[in-house]
Amino acid sequence: MNTTEKVIFEQFPYWEKAIGSVSAPHHAELTVFLGCGTSYNLALSLATHANRAGYPAIAVPGAEWLNRPSAFWPHWQKTHLVALSRSGETTETVAAAKASRKAGVFVTAITVEPESSLAKNCDRLIEAATHGDEGIVMTVSASLMLLLGMQMAGMQIPPSIFSSARHLADQLDKALPGIIEGRSHFVFLGSGSLYGIALEGALKLMEMSQIVTQGFHPLEYRHGPISLVDEKTAIVMLYSADQKAAEALLVEELREKGAIVIGFGGPGDLELTVDCDPELAGLCVLPALQVLGERAAQSKGVDTVAPRHLTKVVMLG
């Protein structure tokens, strides 16, 4: 068991410590969730949760908000910026937080590094302790920041989520790498709050295994990308509670075209039960998607402790 694998399966006690009361978003006409890489994917998911809770929200990549905030909201100075960063040192995220505060924006930081630059350049800090052995690939920290942001949106995280997420990861692990053997094109599909999680699953597998991956809204997949599906394609479907029937029809089509399908919460060649409130599904499936990336990497002999071209913190000169 390498360090990446060890950290994935040891993350749940850190979740338990992070559960608690988190105050609601600062009052503003719009909440902007901001991040880079994994943190941006989490921002996409959190924005949907905030909207459902009655807080108008969007997600924006760090550099985009830094360079052209008015392209995303004309009254950007009146927003509430929620900046996510594991290290709290990501150049674009820290710069966006500083520039926004200078313009009068209230900034909340979500991080696992309470002494970081981001933590020192915000109006409110939301943080949790992460696994000390986590390396370049963001695993437990991603789960923690998602959990913290969901709580900020008013969601209650029950202790049962630990066992549900661990069981789901174990279920998938037992089927790997056999279920994905011979597959060189991976597609992750998710809608609503699961879209950002699908993108994160794709990113995780891409950076860990160096396999080509894509992420889409499920019903968008027919509109062009489906042309790439063949017997080398693996589809990861994150079923939503309100569109499950339509998503199952899509899965049937994809299987007919040669793809193998892992279904989280619905039909597939491998069907996995997501045993939690549908609103919590993104958090519940995240560790399993991390396991998928690790096992895909192992099947190719790729070391996820030192992934090619990546560093733990992206800092620009």
Side-chain angles (χ1 to χ4, degrees):
M1 181 181 291
N2 69 18
T3 303
T4 306
E5 183 179 349
K6 172 178 175 286
V7 168
I8 291 171
F9 285 104
E10 290 181 356
Q11 66 181 290
F12 304 103
Y14 295 89
W15 291 24
E16 185 174 12
K17 294 176 183 177
I19 289 181
S21 177
V22 178
S23 58
H26 177 75
H27 179 71
E29 60 182 46
L30 183 75
T31 297
V32 178
F33 289 90
L34 176 145
C36 299
T38 286
S39 295
Y40 173 60
N41 294 334
L42 302 179
L44 285 165
S45 184
L46 290 172
T48 66
H49 287 304
N51 280 315
R52 291 176 68 89
Y55 303 103
I58 61 172
V60 182
E64 289 292 295
W65 187 258
L66 172 63
N67 294 319
R68 53 184 68 85
S70 60
F72 297 93
W73 193 251
H75 309 296
W76 65 272
Q77 299 94 336
K78 297 180 180 180
T79 61
H80 169 210
L81 183 68
V82 181
L84 294 94
S85 172
R86 169 176 62 171
S87 65
E89 301 295 346
T90 304
T91 298
E92 303 100 305
T93 301
V94 174
K98 288 181 177 179
S100 295
R101 286 188 85 204
K102 187 176 181 180
V105 174
F106 186 93
V107 175
T108 294
I110 298 180
T111 184
V112 296
E113 294 293 343
E115 300 301 320
S116 63
S117 297
L118 180 61
K120 294 173 182 177
N121 286 279
C122 68
D123 299 289
R124 180 175 60 168
L125 174 63
I126 301 175
E127 52 92 13
T130 193
H131 198 302
D133 292 334
E134 184 176 74
I136 293 174
V137 176
M138 196 191 309
T139 52
V140 57
S141 294
S143 303
L144 287 169
M145 291 195 295
L146 179 63
L147 187 156
L148 292 171
M150 290 168 73
Q151 290 184 138
M152 188 185 73
M155 301 179 70
Q156 299 295 315
I157 312 295
S160 60
I161 196 75
F162 313 138
S163 58
S164 296
R166 177 62 194 254
H167 180 64
L168 187 59
D170 287 339
Q171 273 187 293
L172 179 62
D173 199 25
K174 289 176 182 177
L176 297 173
I179 190 72
I180 59 172
E181 187 174 355
R183 307 287 164 160
S184 56
H185 171 218
F186 283 73
V187 178
F188 292 74
L189 303 175
S191 64
S193 63
L194 293 173
Y195 175 62
I197 305 304
L199 292 183
E200 174 57 13
L203 176 62
K204 204 57 55 190
L205 192 144
M206 183 190 305
E207 65 184 3
M208 294 171 84
S209 69
Q210 296 155 25
I211 293 173
V212 175
T213 67
Q214 297 174 292
F216 296 96
H217 295 278
L219 302 188
E220 280 293 296
Y221 195 62
R222 291 189 182 96
H223 298 272
I226 199 169
S227 63
L228 294 178
V229 174
D230 59 20
E231 65 282 353
K232 294 183 180 180
T233 304
I235 303 288
V236 179
M237 172 62 83
L238 307 182
Y239 281 93
S240 58
D242 59 347
Q243 293 294 316
K244 186 173 180 179
E247 292 164 354
L249 285 176
L250 172 62
V251 162
E252 187 177 337
E253 291 178 34
L254 297 174
R255 293 176 73 190
E256 289 173 354
K257 290 175 170 55
I260 196 166
V261 177
I262 300 173
F264 284 88
D269 296 279
L270 175 63
E271 183 172 343
L272 301 168
T273 300
V274 181
D275 184 23
C276 68
D277 184 319
E279 284 295 300
L280 304 177
L283 179 62
C284 192
V285 305
L286 197 50
L289 298 182
Q290 295 165 358
V291 170
L292 175 58
E294 175 62 29
R295 296 296 181 237
Q298 290 177 1
S299 72
K300 289 188 63 186
V302 176
D303 179 14
T304 59
V305 175
R308 186 174 66 178
H309 305 326
L310 298 180
T311 57
K312 190 169 183 177
V313 184
V314 176
M315 298 180 70
L316 308 178

